[in-house]
Amino acid sequence: MTATKTPTERPPAQRVVRRAGDRLFAGSAKGSGIFILVVLAGVAAFLIGEAIPALTAPAEDVPGGEGLSGYIAPLVLGTLLGAVLALLVATPLAVGIALFVTYYAPRRIAAGLGYAIDLLAAIPSVVYGFWGLAVLAPALVPFHVWAADHLGWLPLFAGPASTSGRTMLTVGLVLAVMILPIISAIAREVFSQAPALHREAALALGATRWEMIKMAVLPYGKSGVIAGAMLGLGRALGETMAVAIVLSGGAGATLNLISSSNPSTIASNIALRFPEATGLGINTLIASGLVLFVITLAVNMLARWIVNRRADFSGAN
């Protein structure tokens, strides 16, 4: 008699032999990830170590004589003000461009327009800075005067209007052009991956193209647009040369967008003052760089969290 195999018995698991190429690729990928973390930790350790003298120094010894917080606070305000202004201008434009390229423009025009928008990311920051200084700033002077006369009751346009146009408003518009290709590229990619089942169902039910976009495309791509905007915000926070060329900074904390008295940004302040700084001044600049490092890291972590939040979404669900 032959022994019958019970239903609970299973054949022994076979050991999968990984090829040398697979092991090499897995080790390289893991090593690259660890290397990035080590570099990030090294940068953070350097910034913290160099910033300690400024953190522990008396307030009167810090440049400005108001302590480290009094020195960095206006810079943080200027950094956030310019970056947020750029984000408010660039995000609607990027979404509109992405929708036009993806769902409205003919295929040939869409491809060329997409390439043209992406090429904006290849222009050096110095070129943007000189463009803002020589072209955009003089062109905005009439608007500064008009805003000071008609909108002066708002803190953002309190005036007096700048006669040179080198204001925080000009910087915000320059940064908006610089981050536009980042947000637009991510938005185009997300919108193009909207589930065809949802789009075709909306059109089959009689929806117009805009109604289809509103019901099937925008809800699907909302998290991607937010993540792209956060990445663009991180780009604007760290911009140096364009801001240093355009902005006439150096004033204290103010929300005035059209005056010549503007708070500088952290990155541009470091670039302008570091060559002449000595001793505690260098430590103070590095401490402000540490603050910018924390802000940028927080923005990128927020963007990654938003992307992962919708990672499991699919059109079939």
Side-chain angles (χ1 to χ4, degrees):
M1 296 178 63
T2 59
T4 58
K5 186 180 296 185
T6 60
T8 58
E9 293 181 357
R10 296 180 180 178
Q14 296 181 355
R15 184 178 179 180
V16 178
V17 180
R18 300 176 63 184
R19 297 180 179 178
D22 295 336
R23 294 195 300 269
L24 179 61
F25 178 79
S28 301
K30 184 178 180 180
S32 300
I34 295 175
F35 177 74
I36 292 174
L37 294 178
V38 170
V39 170
L40 189 63
V43 172
F46 167 78
L47 292 175
I48 294 174
E50 293 294 327
I52 288 178
L55 295 173
T56 58
E60 58 272 12
D61 292 341
V62 177
E66 299 181 357
L68 186 61
S69 60
Y71 180 84
I72 296 180
L75 300 177
V76 173
L77 176 62
T79 301
L80 295 177
L81 187 60
V84 171
L85 179 61
L87 190 66
L88 293 177
V89 174
T91 303
L93 290 176
V95 172
I97 291 172
L99 290 176
F100 176 76
V101 170
T102 307
Y103 292 105
Y104 285 94
R107 182 170 298 179
R108 293 182 179 179
I109 298 178
L113 183 59
Y115 293 146
I117 297 298
D118 292 340
L119 282 177
L120 291 176
I123 300 177
S125 301
V126 177
V127 176
Y128 278 114
F130 284 119
W131 169 74
L133 178 64
V135 178
L136 188 59
L140 288 177
V141 170
F143 174 78
H144 292 164
V145 176
W146 179 88
D149 294 337
H150 297 84
L151 302 175
W153 51 276
L154 291 173
L156 297 177
F157 305 103
S162 172
T163 58
S164 64
R166 300 178 62 184
T167 63
M168 185 61 71
L169 179 61
T170 306
V171 169
L173 295 179
V174 172
L175 291 177
V177 177
M178 296 180 70
I179 68 175
L180 181 65
I182 299 175
I183 305 176
S184 176
I186 296 177
R188 291 202 315 268
E189 186 67 24
V190 173
F191 290 157
S192 64
Q193 294 180 0
L197 180 64
H198 292 183
R199 292 187 279 112
E200 294 172 358
L203 295 174
L205 292 175
T208 62
R209 185 177 299 183
W210 164 242
E211 290 173 339
M212 178 271 293
I213 292 174
K214 184 172 63 174
M215 291 185 297
V217 177
L218 292 180
Y220 177 83
K222 181 172 62 175
S223 63
V225 172
I226 296 175
M230 290 295 120
L231 294 177
L233 178 61
R235 171 73 172 85
L237 288 172
E239 178 52 41
T240 303
M241 291 308 302
V243 178
I245 293 173
V246 175
L247 186 62
S248 177
T254 176
L255 296 176
N256 196 343
L257 298 179
I258 61 174
S259 174
S260 296
S261 300
N262 303 286
S264 185
T265 65
I266 294 177
S268 64
N269 182 72
I270 293 175
L272 293 175
R273 299 186 182 275
F274 194 86
E276 300 178 357
T278 58
L280 188 60
I282 295 179
N283 300 114
T284 304
L285 293 177
I286 294 178
S288 65
L290 176 62
V291 174
L292 180 61
F293 177 81
V294 172
I295 294 174
T296 307
L297 184 63
V299 169
N300 283 276
M301 290 177 64
L302 178 62
R304 178 56 57 186
W305 177 79
I306 294 174
V307 171
N308 293 336
R309 181 183 173 190
R310 293 290 296 264
D312 295 334
F313 182 85
S314 68
N317 295 332

